[in-house]
Amino acid sequence: MAAIPILVIAVVQGWLLYGLHYSLEHKTWPATEISWLFALYAVVLFVPVALEIFATRLRQRLTWTLAAVIAAFAGALGAYTGWVVDTPNPDRFTFPLLFALYGALFVAWLIALPFAQAWARRGTWRVSYPDLFEFSWQNALLLAEAAVFTGVFWMLLFLWGALFRVVNIGFFSELFGKPAFIYPISSIAFGYAIYLIESHEKIVVTLRRHLLGVFGWLLPLVALIAVLFLLVLPFTGLQPLWKTGHASTLMLWLQFVFIHFLNSAYEDGQSEPRYPAWLKQVVRFAVFALPIYAALCAYSLGLRVEQHGWTLARVWAAIATFIAALYGIGYAAAALRRSPWMARMAPVNVGVAAVVAGVLLLATSPILDPKRMSAASQAERLRAGRISVDKFDYDYLRFELGRYGKNVLAELSKDSNKEIAGLASASLAKTRKYGGPGVPAELLASRIELFPAGAALDPAFIKYLQDAVTAEQWKHPSCLSQANQKACLMVALDLNGDGQPEILTFDSHPQAVYGMVDGQWKRIGDLVGAGTRQTIGASIRQSSVKAEATAWSDVRVGEVRFILQRTP
């Protein structure tokens, strides 16, 4: 009888998701208020699936209490993230913020469900570890299998549409591509898969047993890798690790794989792994590598933060390192006890799981928001002079740290250092990180270093650049539009002997050439050539610039002109 409630919930979820898509497409509420949009997406994604998993207990108060708690947390944190994003048109730079929000909610949701399921089974919050283990794996496999079912379902629909399109019947492919079909049908397929899989629990149990067996027998290999790598480090030193730039990521992956395989071997704690006695001792000894790896990751991360300050990636890396350290220290303490030592892993797993859920929820709230921490850290680096003004990434604050980054930029735009203030103002004025002018029109003239010394910029030329760069930025030197680049090296030089100097750009892309055509400034071409800014700049400052007539004529074929480019 659980099929009908699940299908009803799935239909409601599908149409709610379509409604949110419709609002985005037609720019109506809630898409016009990002806080509401993110909050509603979070609620619609997580609450219905939780109700589908609890479909046999819909009459119980616990189920609806759980749904209300999930809705409250998901809605509040979604609304907060929308407030931080602070833009009516989320773009690809918003994706990391959304991934962090929904990823954190998903993990916390996965952790919370087994506790609620165990309570529903026993009628008390004093849950047993075997129950938590069973429900954790059951939920993970249930969701994975439902996702695979839905994916295969859509592959068949695509095949259906393609076959009929071959015989000039496009109705089905058009129908299957409409959002009003995609969202409800996907939700129904996913919900129906949940019903089917829960109705055949033996399949899940069998799959879990096979997976745990595979992971458990791979545990000695992971333990060997962890120990051997640590034994090599005294001979290689730590310097090669820091040079890679991603050693901490690799070590974190190793730790979490090790932790996962340890739990696969331990299973629900009812029995010890079926290893030979000597292999059990090897694994037990290898566990002490976990806190060492966590310490190495913390040290590596500390070096990066000291050099470059906090960023979103580093804050999340710190959270991951903290979690790995909790597991590592807990498991190492368990390994110090007498056998069966793995039994001591159970309370560690339960306690750390609760900490993980709490930390992730805090990290998507104002309390431990990585965006707020990163914005404050980067601004402090700039003010303290630990990074030069022209190398500081103002656009990182503007586009990747949401409201906190923009607030810091607003403060920097009023800084007593005029260069900082100007670059911060330029970044604030941008509407897109790429493809839009990064320098306000009134500051564009300050981006040009014109030679020979004493040459004056024609106001008409500046006016032309202001309009042209705004309209078609990609056609003009990037130094005119990117506030974090050095000023444009430009030279006034008569190239065609008409007595009117053209303006040549060097050491930027493109190296545009501007000239007067029918009394109007225009971009007339580009310079092709190589050289470093230092050598080109030195020659320009020494007035070592001249126009040279070419020894080889161009070739015209009809209306097409060919230029000979000599081989070196």
Side-chain angles (χ1 to χ4, degrees):
M1 294 300 293
I4 295 176
I6 287 177
L7 290 178
V8 170
I9 294 168
V11 169
V12 172
Q13 181 190 39
W15 282 107
L16 287 174
L17 287 171
Y18 170 68
L20 294 173
H21 174 88
Y22 182 91
S23 75
L24 280 169
E25 199 171 49
H26 295 81
K27 300 189 184 306
T28 60
W29 190 91
T32 53
E33 297 183 38
I34 299 301
S35 290
W36 276 102
L37 181 69
F38 289 1
L40 290 174
Y41 261 117
V43 172
V44 172
L45 285 172
F46 292 107
V47 173
V49 179
L51 290 176
E52 289 171 3
I53 292 174
F54 276 76
T56 58
R57 299 186 177 94
L58 289 178
R59 295 179 181 276
Q60 296 180 11
R61 180 182 299 178
L62 169 67
T63 300
W64 296 102
T65 301
L66 176 66
V69 171
I70 294 172
F73 274 98
L77 296 176
Y80 168 71
T81 300
W83 176 82
V84 172
V85 168
D86 189 34
T87 175
N89 300 303
D91 55 22
R92 64 190 178 94
F93 297 105
T94 308
F95 176 77
L97 308 186
L98 295 181
F99 181 80
L101 168 67
Y102 296 120
L105 285 174
F106 178 68
V107 174
W109 179 81
L110 272 181
I111 291 172
L113 283 182
F115 284 91
Q117 290 166 295
W119 188 92
R121 171 183 285 180
R122 306 294 179 185
T124 175
W125 284 110
R126 298 183 65 180
V127 297
S128 67
Y129 185 76
D131 284 345
L132 292 177
F133 177 85
E134 176 189 341
F135 286 123
S136 296
W137 272 94
Q138 177 181 304
N139 294 340
L141 293 175
L142 176 67
L143 295 173
E145 290 180 80
V148 170
F149 178 93
T150 306
V152 174
F153 174 83
W154 270 105
M155 289 173 63
L156 293 174
L157 290 188
F158 288 142
L159 178 61
W160 179 353
L163 284 172
F164 277 83
R165 197 166 57 246
V166 168
V167 293
N168 297 320
I169 299 176
F171 170 77
F172 295 108
S173 59
E174 291 176 7
L175 173 65
F176 299 157
K178 292 181 178 179
F181 180 87
I182 293 172
Y183 287 101
I185 292 301
S186 296
S187 294
I188 291 172
F190 191 86
Y192 186 61
I194 287 179
Y195 165 71
L196 288 176
I197 296 164
E198 285 191 326
S199 301
H200 299 80
E201 188 177 347
K202 290 183 179 179
I203 296 176
V204 177
V205 173
T206 302
L207 179 59
R208 183 186 75 195
R209 187 176 296 119
H210 283 298
L211 286 174
L212 291 175
V214 171
F215 294 151
W217 279 107
L218 286 172
L219 172 61
L221 176 60
V222 178
L224 177 64
I225 295 170
V227 173
L228 283 181
F229 186 76
L230 286 183
L231 292 176
V232 165
L233 285 182
F235 301 98
T236 63
L238 297 179
Q239 198 58 35
L241 282 179
W242 314 147
K243 286 182 179 180
T244 63
H246 57 267
S248 295
T249 303
L250 294 176
M251 289 190 291
L252 279 172
W253 272 109
L254 177 61
Q255 290 173 81
F256 285 117
V257 169
F258 197 171
I259 291 165
H260 175 67
F261 283 11
L262 271 172
N263 282 282
S264 298
Y266 178 56
E267 296 190 18
D268 59 1
Q270 299 300 302
S271 60
E272 283 278 297
R274 295 182 179 89
Y275 296 151
W278 67 269
L279 189 54
K280 288 182 181 180
Q281 293 305 315
V282 169
V283 171
R284 183 175 188 170
F285 171 76
V287 166
F288 294 102
L290 285 172
I292 299 175
Y293 276 106
L296 286 173
C297 289
Y299 178 66
S300 173
L301 181 62
L303 291 177
R304 299 293 292 175
V305 171
E306 184 178 358
Q307 292 172 342
H308 306 290
W310 288 104
T311 61
L312 290 179
R314 290 182 195 120
V315 175
W316 284 110
I319 291 173
T321 301
F322 172 69
I323 293 169
L326 290 181
Y327 275 113
I329 294 170
Y331 288 178
L336 289 172
R337 303 294 183 92
R338 293 181 178 179
S339 294
W341 69 272
M342 278 191 166
R344 303 287 181 177
M345 288 170 49
V348 174
N349 288 340
V350 174
V352 175
V355 172
V356 169
V359 169
L360 290 178
L361 293 177
L362 289 176
T364 51
S365 75
I367 299 172
L368 196 63
D369 193 333
K371 298 174 286 297
R372 177 176 57 80
M373 296 171 61
S374 300
S377 174
Q378 293 302 315
E380 192 275 331
R381 287 179 65 228
L382 179 62
R383 291 188 176 114
R386 290 200 293 272
I387 183 172
S388 61
V389 173
D390 60 330
K391 290 183 179 179
F392 183 76
D393 192 353
Y394 299 88
D395 288 350
Y396 178 70
L397 295 175
R398 171 68 179 83
F399 292 98
E400 299 186 39
L401 299 183
R403 183 184 294 267
Y404 291 114
K406 284 185 276 190
N407 288 345
V408 167
L409 272 181
E411 295 174 6
L412 292 175
S413 68
K414 302 173 184 176
D415 197 271
S416 57
N417 184 316
K418 291 185 179 180
E419 189 175 3
I420 291 177
L423 292 173
S425 298
S427 185
L428 274 175
K430 296 176 73 171
T431 56
R432 292 178 294 171
K433 189 169 185 178
Y434 304 110
V439 178
E442 62 272 14
L443 295 178
L444 192 142
S446 66
R447 301 290 303 160
I448 298 174
E449 191 176 1
L450 184 63
F451 294 91
L457 285 167
D458 183 356
F461 175 58
I462 297 301
K463 179 64 171 65
Y464 159 75
L465 284 181
Q466 290 173 342
D467 296 337
V469 172
T470 300
E472 297 178 306
Q473 174 190 327
W474 62 92
K475 289 185 177 181
H476 301 274
S478 58
C479 53
L480 290 173
S481 55
Q482 300 298 318
N484 58 352
Q485 291 192 16
K486 292 185 177 180
C488 295
L489 282 177
M490 290 190 173
V491 175
L493 184 67
D494 187 2
L495 295 183
N496 58 4
D498 64 352
Q500 174 68 41
E502 281 69 45
I503 304 294
L504 290 59
T505 311
F506 292 92
D507 194 42
S508 190
H509 180 78
Q511 296 186 133
V513 177
Y514 302 94
M516 294 288 285
V517 179
D518 298 327
Q520 301 290 327
W521 281 100
K522 291 185 180 297
R523 177 177 172 271
I524 61 175
D526 298 317
L527 294 175
V528 179
T532 65
R533 185 179 182 93
Q534 289 76 14
T535 58
I536 292 174
S539 298
I540 289 174
R541 287 177 173 82
Q542 294 170 9
S543 299
S544 182
V545 183
K546 61 180 179 179
E548 289 186 349
T550 58
W552 298 83
S553 300
D554 297 342
V555 178
R556 180 183 291 276
V557 180
E559 297 300 320
V560 180
R561 179 182 296 273
F562 293 87
I563 300 172
L564 175 65
Q565 187 171 23
R566 298 287 307 281
T567 55

